[in-house]
Amino acid sequence: MSTNTLQFDTQHEDMIHDAQLDYYGKRLATCSSDGSIRIFEVSNQQQKFVEALKSHTGPVWQVSWAHPKFGSVLASCSYDGTVLIWKETGSGFAVIHKHDKHQASVNAIAWASHELGPVLLCGSSDGKISLVSFTETGTWEVQMIRSAHATGVNAVSWAPVIAANEPTNLKQFATGGCDNNVKIWAYSDETKTHDVVQTLSGHSDWVRDVAFAPNSGLPRTYLASCSQDKNVYIWTRDAQSESLDWKQQALEPFPDVVWRVSWSLSGNVLAVSCGDNRVTLWKENVKGEWECISEANESSQTA
């Protein structure tokens, strides 16, 4: 399995923490400990610098593009405790909203599927999660959920809105925290908020990332989690089952801390980023076992 790799100097002055392509794969946003976000146009194995965004006062941990139906909109979160929402205008990107309700570093952000509207999920070291929504009246609304993970939230991920045997769009997401747990949240029409419906235990150290797989038409939901404990777990739940229980399956142990997990657009290949500077790709075989199908490091790539 081989792919073309584009490498270039972003001109960041410190460590890069995140890099995200937009919906069309034409623009790349990167963020760094230098407090800046840099926007690039990427096409035909070439890149062109567009703009540097410098409104945060601390390291920027993550960036996230909104669906293009809402315009060219980018969110960023920082150690400075804020989340900034940027929108491109004729003169470049400008901050259209500042979310500053958290009392500590905001470590993770994720836009909901466009079917749910412009809703941004945020997780913070203060143990809280928040949902920032742009309402029909043209105002920004913030809902805070306290005590999500008592010692801090490291990761957030929205579940696919369309699942087998579900008559309506799902409003569910997962969070991972410093309490070593992964939590599944679902929206309640009664309380008008998201409540925990399942706590997945198994990691023995901080959960660093969680990622739901995109819906691929299969009657099963996949969730990946990775941790400081050097393990990656694949959690699955069959839509046919009346039980809320998730089945746990571990990938082969990794040699270092596992920082990030990310699914392919088709939802059947999982990329795992490890502290040894290697990225491995994993796929489920016909026996239901997960196999490493590719491995890459900074200097080379092997099938």
Side-chain angles (χ1 to χ4, degrees), residues 20-228:
Q20 295 291 333
L21 289 166
D22 68 1
Y23 180 84
Y24 298 112
K26 299 295 186 182
R27 283 197 166 178
L28 176 71
T30 62
C31 61
S32 164
S33 279
D34 65 11
S36 74
I37 301 153
R38 298 180 74 84
I39 310 294
F40 301 87
E41 291 180 357
V42 290
S43 178
N44 300 322
Q45 291 297 297
Q46 294 182 330
Q47 55 79 25
K48 177 185 175 183
F49 173 69
V50 175
E51 188 176 358
L53 313 179
K54 299 181 179 180
S55 291
H56 283 293
T57 59
V60 185
W61 302 130
Q62 280 190 12
V63 286
S64 180
W65 293 95
H67 190 276
K69 72 177 289 185
F70 306 119
S72 184
V73 175
L74 179 73
S76 57
C77 64
S78 170
Y79 180 79
D80 65 14
T82 68
V83 173
L84 299 180
I85 299 176
W86 311 76
K87 186 168 185 177
E88 188 177 23
T89 62
S91 58
F93 282 84
V95 175
I96 58 172
H97 183 69
K98 180 178 181 179
H99 170 34
D100 57 2
K101 303 298 183 185
H102 286 286
Q103 282 81 48
S105 172
V106 182
N107 303 318
I109 49 175
W111 289 100
S113 294
H114 67 89
E115 293 92 340
L116 301 181
V119 182
L120 183 70
L121 174 62
C122 315
S124 169
S125 291
D126 63 9
K128 303 171 188 173
I129 53 178
S130 59
L131 293 122
V132 184
S133 310
F134 189 68
T135 67
E136 295 179 354
T137 60
T139 59
W140 291 93
E141 190 176 86
V142 177
Q143 182 180 31
M144 303 295 296
I145 301 176
R146 304 177 187 281
S147 301
H149 294 267
T151 48
V153 183
N154 295 324
V156 297
S157 177
W158 286 91
V161 296
I162 301 172
N165 299 331
E166 292 289 346
T168 59
N169 287 339
L170 290 177
K171 299 179 181 178
Q172 294 186 353
F173 56 80
T175 58
C178 301
D179 57 3
N180 309 344
N181 290 326
V182 175
K183 293 184 179 181
I184 311 293
W185 305 72
Y187 184 78
S188 168
D189 288 322
E190 293 183 4
T191 62
K192 302 299 181 184
T193 187
H194 286 79
D195 299 316
V196 177
V197 293
Q198 193 79 16
T199 298
L200 307 180
S201 302
H203 286 295
S204 59
D205 209 333
W206 289 12
V207 176
R208 283 297 179 180
D209 201 13
V210 291
F212 273 106
N215 181 271
S216 56
L218 297 174
R220 180 180 292 177
T221 301
Y222 290 85
L223 173 67
S225 64
C226 66
S227 167
Q228 199 97 9

Side-chain angles (χ1 to χ4, degrees), residues 225-245:
S225 64
C226 66
S227 167
Q228 199 97 9
D229 65 9
K230 306 178 183 179
N231 286 310
V232 173
Y233 292 137
I234 308 293
W235 310 84
T236 57
R237 188 171 76 87
D238 292 327
Q240 307 286 354
S241 174
E242 295 181 0
S243 171
L244 289 175
D245 292 340

